[in-house]
Amino acid sequence: MRHPLTGGGMTVALSDIVVVRDLLRPLDNLNDASALCKYLESFYTLRKPVPSTINTLAGALYKVFCASPDPARKEMREACFDYLSLGGMFSNGPLALLSGLNPHPLSLILHVFAVALYAVGRLLLPFPSPKRMWIGARLILGASGIIFPIISAEGVRQMFFPVMVPSYHRAPPVNLHDVENKVLR
């Protein structure tokens, strides 16, 4: 399921098509259902970076922008708009994540905490006060409380270390009939 806030469903679908195309390219016989199913198990691992990054960003944006009387959440919302309005890498980075052009979860975490630190900086300048420092601390904790549970739900191992998932290394199935024909030639 994709969140309607970001509209990432089509991006994920097109990315999935590319992954399936690349998986099926070396196969000669698509009629062997059991071998094909066993080989396509790696699809779920190979596809994970794009949808998990888009889902995590969509979930984080939803939690930031949903109505809340919390002053830390309000500061985070305003900081998001101001961060994006800075332009350059501050807008290109989040937009690349959202569009699936940069499906790297570490980049997502970097931008989430960059927005949070930007918000804290806005709070503490020009004159820090105990109340503003308290809101800043709650803002950082709030950003952590938003992003880390979503990442946990997406699967830390699949999201950050897909190479460690056994199905990632699965080779294409070998059809013994084709091997015998090649040996006899």
Side-chain angles (χ1 to χ4, degrees), residues 82-140:
D82 289 348
Y83 182 84
L84 291 171
S85 69
L86 291 174
M89 69 176 227
F90 304 107
S91 63
N92 292 343
L95 292 177
L97 286 164
L98 194 57
S99 65
L101 295 174
N102 179 11
H104 301 297
L106 288 177
S107 182
L108 171 65
I109 291 173
L110 172 87
H111 282 288
V112 167
F113 283 103
V115 170
L117 291 174
Y118 179 74
V120 170
R122 287 170 26 121
L123 274 171
L124 297 181
L125 293 177
F127 303 107
S129 68
K131 180 181 177 184
R132 289 181 174 190
M133 290 186 338
W134 174 247
I135 292 173
R138 287 191 21 237
L139 204 147
I140 296 292

Side-chain angles (χ1 to χ4, degrees), residues 13-179:
L14 292 172
S15 171
D16 287 351
I17 290 168
V18 170
V19 171
V20 168
R21 179 203 63 192
D22 292 343
L23 281 172
L24 297 179
R25 185 171 285 161
L27 299 177
D28 294 331
N29 181 10
L30 296 178
N31 292 327
D32 187 2
S34 65
L36 185 62
C37 286
K38 195 166 184 91
Y39 181 63
L40 284 178
E41 287 175 7
S42 60
F43 166 74
Y44 296 103
T45 301
L46 294 171
R47 75 178 291 270
K48 194 67 174 178
V50 173
S52 63
T53 301
I54 291 173
N55 285 347
T56 303
L57 181 57
L61 287 173
Y62 178 74
K63 287 188 177 184
V64 167
F65 288 114
C66 69
S68 172
D70 184 17
R73 191 73 59 91
K74 180 179 179 255
E75 284 295 327
M76 187 70 154
R77 274 193 298 272
E78 290 175 13
C80 277
F81 287 121
D82 289 348
Y83 182 84
L84 291 171
S85 69
L86 291 174
M89 69 176 227
F90 304 107
S91 63
N92 292 343
L95 292 177
L97 286 164
L98 194 57
S99 65
L101 295 174
N102 179 11
H104 301 297
L106 288 177
S107 182
L108 171 65
I109 291 173
L110 172 87
H111 282 288
V112 167
F113 283 103
V115 170
L117 291 174
Y118 179 74
V120 170
R122 287 170 26 121
L123 274 171
L124 297 181
L125 293 177
F127 303 107
S129 68
K131 180 181 177 184
R132 289 181 174 190
M133 290 186 338
W134 174 247
I135 292 173
R138 287 191 21 237
L139 204 147
I140 296 292
L141 286 172
S144 300
I146 288 172
I147 195 77
F148 291 130
I150 298 171
I151 288 173
S152 177
E154 287 290 334
V156 173
R157 185 171 145 194
Q158 292 88 348
M159 200 169 168
F160 292 98
F161 309 107
V163 176
M164 295 177 64
V165 177
S167 62
Y168 184 85
H169 300 287
R170 183 158 292 141
V174 176
N175 188 343
L176 293 179
H177 180 60
D178 292 341
V179 172

